[in-house]
Amino acid sequence: MKKIRFLRNATFGLVSLASLGFLSCGSTAKVADASRDLAPVVRTAKGAKQGVYYSLFVRSFADSNGDGIGDFNGIIQKLDYLNDGDDNTTTDLGITGIWLLPIFPSQSYHGYDVDDYYAVNPDYGTMEDFERLLKECDKRGISVIIDMTCNHSSRYTEWFQAGRDPSDPHHTWYRWIKADDKRYNINQQMWGHKVWNEDKKYTGNYYSGLFVPDMPDFNLDSPEVRAEFKKIMKFWFDKGVSGFRYDAACHVYNSAKTPAGTDSVKQGVAWWKELTDYNKSVKPDCYNVGEVWENNSIRARYIAGLGSDFHFDMGNRILDMVKSGDDGNNSFANGMQAEYEKLAESNPDYIDAPFLSNHDEPRAAGILRGDYDMCKVAASLYMLTEGVPFMYYGEEIAMRSGTDDPSKRTPMLWNIVSSNGKTKDKLQTTWSESRYNMKTVSVAEQEKDPDSLLQYYKRLIRLRTSHPALYAGRFKAVSTGNDSVSSWQMKSDEETAFVMINVSASPVEIEVPADYRNFKMAFCSNGIETSIDGADGAITKIKLPARSTVVVSDLK
C-alpha cells in the first residue's frame, strides 16, 4: 500500500493518483508560489440557471460619485472583482450571476416598498446606467436577476393613492374591506402589528398591510393587477434582465388577509405558475426564484409554481453542525436527500437555491465568530449541494452583523478603513457604519493571503462552475461511517463526484466507499494523505485534517 500526501491549499486540477508522488492536487511539484494554488479552469456552467449567484445590495456595494451611496456605475467598476469574463485569470471571484436587491424608487433604504415599478432608484443612477450595467455583465457571462415584490407596493404609488377612493378603478388593485365584513378578522395581528389599517381620508375602509402599513398588499384576484405584473416582467426582460427573485412569495395569499376558508398555498402556487409560465413565454431561459420562508413541505408546494425557491433552514443546520463539529450518522446529507425527494415529488424539474445567510438573517461569519476554517467548511457545505447557490455580498470576506436588518446590509469592506473613516478604495460606500466589522479583514488584504476565506471562495466557485456533477447534478447521501464527516454523491449525465467534508476540529481517517475508489482528485482544501492500494491506483483511505473538504470525480 502506497501513501500519497496532498499539500495544504492544493489546487484542484484533475490528476491520476496512481501516477503521482509527493504533490499538490493538480501539480506535479511542490508549490513554491502559493498563488499557484488558485489555478485557471474552464468554467462550463452556462446560462441563468447554472453556476453561482452573488446577492448584492446596490446601496452598500460600490460608490462611483462620492456621495457615500452605492450605485450602478460603482458596480460596473467592480465587475472584474466578481467575474472578469476570462477563464485564464484567477483574480476574480468567478460568480456567474447577480441578484440585485430592490433597485426601484422607494421611501426606504432597503427598497422593498416600491414607488414605481418602471423606474430605478435615482440614488443608484439612471436607467441608462442600469442598462449599461446589464451590457457589461453580459460581456462577462454574468446573468442578472432583480428583486420583485408582487405581494405589496409602497403606499406612495399612483395606484394606491388613486385606489384609496372606493370609486376609482384602482381600488380593486389592493385588498380593502369594511369593518363589518364577517369573512375577515379586522383585529388580525401579524408580527406584532394589525394587518388591517383604516384609511384616514376614506374612513370605514381598511386595507391590508401584512408587513407594515406603509406596504399595502396587492389583490392578486384582480385580473388588472395580474396583467400589470406581466407588463412589468416584459418591461425588465426587454431591458436585459435574466429573471426575478420574488419577495415574500408565500404571502401573496396569506390567510391573514384572505377570506376565511381560502387555501392560501393553492392560490399562491397558481399565481406563481401563471406568472412564471408567462415569463418563460417571453424569455425561455429565464430564472425565477422565490422567497418561501417556510418549512420544506410548504416550500415543496410552492416550487410547483415557482420552479425554484430558496432553501431556508439549510444555513442554520450548517452553522449548528459546524459549531458542534459533529454530523452524527451523516445526518446533514440524509436530511438534504429527504428534502430534495419532497421537492421532486412536487416538481421533477425543480432547482434548489441553497444559501448560508441573506439580507434578512444574521451574517454567518458572526455566528461562527469569524473563524476562517469554520467559514470555509460552511462554504463547502452549501456550495457543493444541489441547485444554484446564492452567496451574500461580504460573505466571502467574513463580514459580520447584528440581528437588526440595517446591520446586515452595511457597506462592503474593500480596503482598510483608518480611524478617521478614510479608506484607500475610492469606491467604498459610507452611507452606514458597522461596529460589527471593526476586525473584518478587507478584500484588498485577503487578496494577498493565499489562506484567506476570499481565496477559498474563489477556488470553491471555480470547482463548482467547472464540474457538471456539481452545477447540474442531483444529490444522494452516501455515508463514510464517520460521524465527523458529511458526505454525498453528486451525479449528472456527464459526471459523478463524491464530496467528503470533515466538520470537526480534529483530523480523521476514513474508508473511501468502493464506488469511488477509482475516481480522481478534483479538490482538496487542506493537507491530506491518501492510501493507494494495488496497481490500479484505487484510493482506499483518506486522512482528512480538521475542517477540510475533499472532492473526487470520474470526469475524464
Side-chain angles (χ1 to χ4, degrees):
M1 182 177 291
K2 180 170 64 175
K3 291 186 177 180
I4 295 180
R5 173 174 166 77
F6 288 83
L7 288 175
R8 176 177 174 81
N9 290 318
T11 188
F12 50 82
L14 292 170
V15 284
S16 173
L17 296 177
S19 65
L20 299 178
F22 184 69
L23 71 156
S24 66
C25 311
S27 172
T28 56
K30 292 183 180 181
V31 178
D33 177 1
S35 67
R36 294 182 195 170
D37 295 340
L38 184 59
V41 297
V42 177
R43 290 171 271 198
T44 54
K46 303 294 182 184
K49 292 180 279 192
Q50 294 181 349
V52 177
Y53 273 78
Y54 192 82
S55 172
L56 192 158
F57 185 35
V58 180
R59 184 172 296 272
S60 286
F61 197 64
D63 169 25
S64 70
N65 60 10
D67 65 356
I69 296 172
D71 47 48
F72 300 132
N73 288 327
I75 298 173
I76 291 172
Q77 293 184 52
K78 287 292 187 183
L79 278 181
D80 284 350
Y81 166 77
L82 297 174
N83 190 333
D84 62 11
D86 185 352
D87 286 354
N88 293 314
T89 64
T90 59
T91 53
D92 61 314
L93 195 55
I95 58 93
T96 59
I98 295 173
W99 156 27
L100 293 175
L101 275 67
I103 61 170
F104 308 106
S106 172
Q107 304 296 312
S108 68
Y109 83 95
H110 54 73
Y112 283 100
D113 46 344
V114 177
D115 290 347
D116 184 350
Y117 284 82
Y118 294 96
V120 296
N121 190 329
D123 285 347
Y124 297 165
T126 65
M127 185 65 79
E128 290 73 22
D129 294 333
F130 178 67
E131 292 168 348
R132 186 163 54 253
L133 169 61
L134 292 176
K135 290 176 181 177
E136 290 298 323
C137 286
D138 186 61
K139 290 179 184 177
R140 294 164 172 80
I142 301 173
S143 303
V144 177
I145 65 173
I146 62 174
D147 222 315
M148 182 63 64
T149 59
C150 299
N151 180 71
H152 55 264
S153 73
S154 158
R155 67 185 178 94
Y156 297 99
T157 59
E158 293 181 4
W159 304 332
F160 183 73
Q161 287 301 314
R164 292 169 64 191
D165 182 348
S167 66
D168 188 278
H170 291 93
H171 188 73
T172 59
W173 285 39
Y174 293 86
R175 293 195 175 274
W176 292 93
I177 65 170
K178 300 287 187 180
D180 60 355
D181 192 329
K182 301 301 182 185
R183 298 174 300 164
Y184 302 88
N185 177 4
I186 197 71
N187 295 311
Q188 177 74 50
Q189 295 271 329
M190 196 76 169
W191 300 307
H193 66 86
K194 280 191 172 185
V195 171
W196 296 100
N197 307 274
E198 186 174 18
D199 189 276
K200 294 180 180 179
K201 181 177 181 181
Y202 297 93
T203 57
N205 293 288
Y206 293 77
Y207 68 90
S208 66
L210 200 64
F211 288 93
V212 292
D214 282 347
M215 295 180 180
D217 297 322
F218 284 112
N219 172 26
L220 288 172
D221 289 331
S222 163
E224 291 79 14
V225 172
R226 291 186 175 226
E228 188 68 34
F229 269 114
K230 290 172 186 175
K231 282 177 57 181
I232 293 166
M233 303 302 109
K234 177 70 162 54
F235 177 85
W236 291 104
F237 278 137
D238 288 346
K239 293 293 181 186
V241 305
S242 296
F244 301 92
R245 178 267 186 186
Y246 290 112
D247 180 64
C250 57
H251 293 299
V252 289
Y253 278 90
N254 189 290
S255 59
K257 63 184 182 184
T258 53
T262 300
D263 186 335
S264 58
V265 176
K266 182 178 180 181
Q267 294 280 74
V269 171
W271 155 246
W272 292 119
K273 183 72 165 59
E274 178 181 331
L275 188 65
T276 57
D277 281 353
Y278 171 79
N279 288 350
K280 286 180 278 190
S281 74
V282 176
K283 187 175 178 62
D285 60 344
C286 68
Y287 180 48
N288 306 288
V289 58
E291 179 197 30
V292 181
W293 200 334
E294 298 286 351
N295 62 51
N296 192 66
S297 62
I298 300 297
R299 285 184 55 237
R301 290 185 66 184
Y302 275 97
I303 213 163
L306 286 159
S308 181
D309 53 32
F310 289 100
H311 204 131
F312 281 92
D313 294 335
M314 176 192 279
N316 291 334
R317 271 183 276 177
I318 288 173
L319 297 177
D320 288 344
M321 178 172 61
V322 172
K323 286 190 295 182
S324 71
D326 187 354
D327 186 32
N329 198 27
N330 212 27
S331 59
F332 173 74
N334 290 330
M336 287 298 101
Q337 181 174 324
E339 295 194 353
Y340 293 137
E341 289 171 354
K342 191 73 174 176
L343 299 181
E345 290 175 9
S346 179
N347 184 345
D349 298 320
Y350 77 91
I351 300 174
D352 196 38
F355 68 100
L356 196 56
S357 60
N358 67 16
H359 61 289
D360 287 323
E361 299 178 319
R363 284 186 174 271
I367 295 172
L368 298 177
R369 301 182 297 278
D371 184 300
Y372 274 10
D373 288 336
M374 295 173 78
C375 288
K376 289 175 183 178
V377 170
S380 294
L381 285 162
Y382 86 95
M383 280 281 182
L384 300 179
T385 55
E386 269 196 35
V388 177
F390 282 76
M391 60 180 298
Y392 189 38
Y393 81 94
E395 190 167 271
E396 72 273 26
I397 59 169
M399 281 179 60
R400 308 189 202 186
S401 75
T403 57
D404 61 302
D405 283 350
S407 77
K408 302 166 190 171
R409 306 171 191 181
T410 52
M412 180 70 175
L413 189 60
W414 292 108
N415 211 324
I416 300 170
V417 178
S418 63
S419 58
N420 64 1
K422 300 294 183 181
T423 177
K424 295 180 180 179
D425 196 297
K426 62 184 179 70
L427 296 178
Q428 180 71 48
T429 64
T430 56
W431 73 275
S432 175
E433 295 181 355
S434 175
R435 64 185 178 89
Y436 298 98
N437 286 302
M438 301 299 290
K439 295 182 180 179
T440 300
V441 182
S442 70
V443 169
E445 295 169 278
Q446 292 203 30
E447 284 181 330
K448 300 173 185 176
D449 179 4
D451 289 334
S452 71
L453 182 60
L454 173 60
Q455 298 296 80
Y456 185 76
Y457 262 103
K458 289 181 182 180
R459 295 178 55 225
L460 199 58
I461 292 170
R462 279 167 171 76
L463 171 73
R464 185 178 182 92
T465 55
S466 63
H467 281 266
L470 299 178
Y471 64 72
R474 291 301 193 195
F475 180 107
K476 178 184 175 183
V478 179
S479 177
T480 65
N482 190 302
D483 286 349
S484 296
V485 177
S486 188
S487 55
W488 58 85
Q489 171 189 280
M490 293 292 294
K491 183 177 178 61
S492 70
D493 292 340
E494 302 171 66
E495 179 191 17
T496 300
F498 185 52
V499 178
M500 296 157 278
I501 303 173
N502 179 7
V503 302
S504 75
S506 301
V508 298
E509 182 174 86
I510 59 171
E511 294 274 352
V512 178
D515 288 347
Y516 313 105
R517 290 184 177 181
N518 287 305
F519 282 20
K520 298 174 183 179
M521 190 68 64
F523 180 89
C524 59
S525 68
N526 225 324
I528 68 168
E529 287 186 5
T530 62
S531 295
I532 305 300
D533 191 14
D536 61 355
I539 313 171
T540 57
K541 294 180 181 180
I542 297 181
K543 290 184 178 180
L544 286 83
R547 300 191 176 110
S548 60
T549 298
V550 173
V551 181
V552 295
S553 163
D554 68 352
L555 191 66
K556 303 301 182 184

